[in-house]
Amino acid sequence: MNKVETDRFNGLYQQHLRFLKLQGKSQKTIAAYSRAVRRIREHFDCCPDQLTLEQREQYFSDLVESHSWSTVKVDRNGLQFFWKHVLKREWDWVNIVKAPKVQSLPDTLAVEEPSVSMWVRHAPLENLV
């Protein structure tokens, strides 16, 4: 980035930090959201306000390949905040980046469930036929 672009980015970045604080975001959220803005700037070596939709889509495609879904979601939220509050632009492509749905087992079983699972585990084979 040239000096003019770096100065513009620094101004937008400071505004981003200020808005995050004014919205009462925690220090960890501020750190994560600001990291997302720095990461996309470094990826393209330009101020994020100049990025096209196609560049942003490519960025997230690359990010999915190199980082966890948790990082991808945090970056999406951080950039969405930046677009909405700092750039005052619509974030119309938020649905492009969605983590896959994962179904996990519940931490605790319902009252009926342990007896069924114990019966299956300890039942003689003739009862299973």
Side-chain angles (χ1 to χ4, degrees):
M1 288 194 309
N2 63 35
K3 181 171 177 13
V4 172
E5 199 167 355
T6 300
D7 290 345
R8 186 174 75 250
F9 172 77
N10 289 338
L12 292 172
Y13 184 75
Q14 291 305 315
Q15 190 177 4
H16 184 237
L17 294 175
R18 188 170 56 253
F19 287 165
L20 287 166
K21 289 177 187 169
L22 288 172
Q23 293 247 333
K25 303 294 185 196
S26 72
Q27 286 298 332
K28 287 185 178 185
T29 300
I30 292 171
Y33 282 17
S34 59
R35 186 179 318 110
V37 173
R38 291 191 315 270
R39 190 186 334 258
I40 199 168
R41 179 203 50 147
E42 291 166 6
H43 185 82
F44 289 105
D45 194 33
C46 71
C47 191
D49 66 339
Q50 303 298 311
L51 297 175
T52 66
L53 175 60
E54 291 76 23
Q55 286 174 307
R56 290 177 277 162
E57 289 172 353
Q58 184 59 52
Y59 171 75
F60 278 103
S61 178
D62 294 344
L63 197 64
V64 165
E65 295 298 320
S66 62
H67 290 75
S68 69
W69 272 106
S70 175
T71 299
V72 172
K73 289 189 295 186
V74 169
D75 275 26
R76 180 199 61 200
N77 293 342
L79 292 172
Q80 182 177 357
F81 185 94
F82 183 79
W83 249 254
K84 181 178 179 182
H85 296 284
V86 177
L87 301 180
K88 303 204 182 332
R89 296 182 190 165
E90 284 295 316
W91 181 266
D92 56 353
W93 54 285
V94 71
N95 291 328
I96 290 173
V97 182
K98 283 193 174 182
K101 294 226 181 228
V102 177
Q103 287 200 339
S104 58
L105 295 174
D107 291 337
T108 57
L109 298 174
V111 174
E112 303 82 28
E113 292 173 310
S115 61
V116 171
S117 64
M118 289 179 70
W119 180 84
V120 170
R121 187 180 318 152
H122 298 293
L125 289 176
E126 61 266 14
N127 291 347
L128 296 176
V129 179

